[in-house]
């Protein structure tokens, strides 16, 4: 799978995510796999569009990636109607 080229749609989506999270120095989205594992990218994407939903600094200070992922998935479900399709573990 690593050798497959990205489609134009994937490149456009990756570019949009990078643009949306550019003001978050802790976040560096370079792909659709490892860039998401610490939970910061999910939270930054949510916060960039709805900063009223949570305090970004509180998320950054959470110690585990599981906590940060769980936070993002719960915010998305509760406030945006996006079902939790992934398990943080």
């Amino acid at each position: 799978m690593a050798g497959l080229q990205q489609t134009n749609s994937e490149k456009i989506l990756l570019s949009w995510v990078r643009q949306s999270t550019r003001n978050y120095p802790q976040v560096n989205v370079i792909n659709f796999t490892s860039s998401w594992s610490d939970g910061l990218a999910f939270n930054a994407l949510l916060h960039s569009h709805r900063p009223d939903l949570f305090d970004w600094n509180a998320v950054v200070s959470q110690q585990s990636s599981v906590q940060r992922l769980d936070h993002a998935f719960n915010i998305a479900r509760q406030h945006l109607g996006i079902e939790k399709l992934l398990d943080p573990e």
Side-chain angles (χ1 to χ4, degrees):
M1 291 293 258
L4 297 177
Q5 290 187 354
Q6 287 182 324
T7 66
N8 282 341
S9 297
E10 289 171 329
K11 289 178 183 177
I12 291 168
L13 183 57
L14 190 60
S15 176
W16 175 77
V17 170
R18 290 180 60 83
Q19 181 73 15
S20 296
T21 60
R22 74 180 182 279
N23 293 326
Y24 299 84
Q26 306 89 337
V27 178
N28 184 25
V29 178
I30 57 172
N31 58 42
F32 287 111
T33 54
S34 60
S35 295
W36 301 87
S37 62
D38 67 1
L40 290 173
F42 281 111
N43 279 289
L45 191 56
L46 291 169
H47 193 262
S48 71
H49 295 284
R50 290 289 308 272
D52 58 305
L53 294 180
F54 62 93
D55 176 17
W56 171 253
N57 293 320
V59 170
V60 173
S61 67
Q62 290 176 335
Q63 293 185 359
S64 83
S65 58
V66 172
Q67 287 175 312
R68 290 189 294 265
L69 287 165
D70 196 49
H71 177 267
F73 298 161
N74 286 333
I75 290 290
R77 183 177 43 77
Q78 292 170 359
H79 298 280
L80 304 174
I82 300 170
E83 287 302 317
K84 186 176 177 179
L85 300 175
L86 301 172
D87 184 22
E89 286 83 23

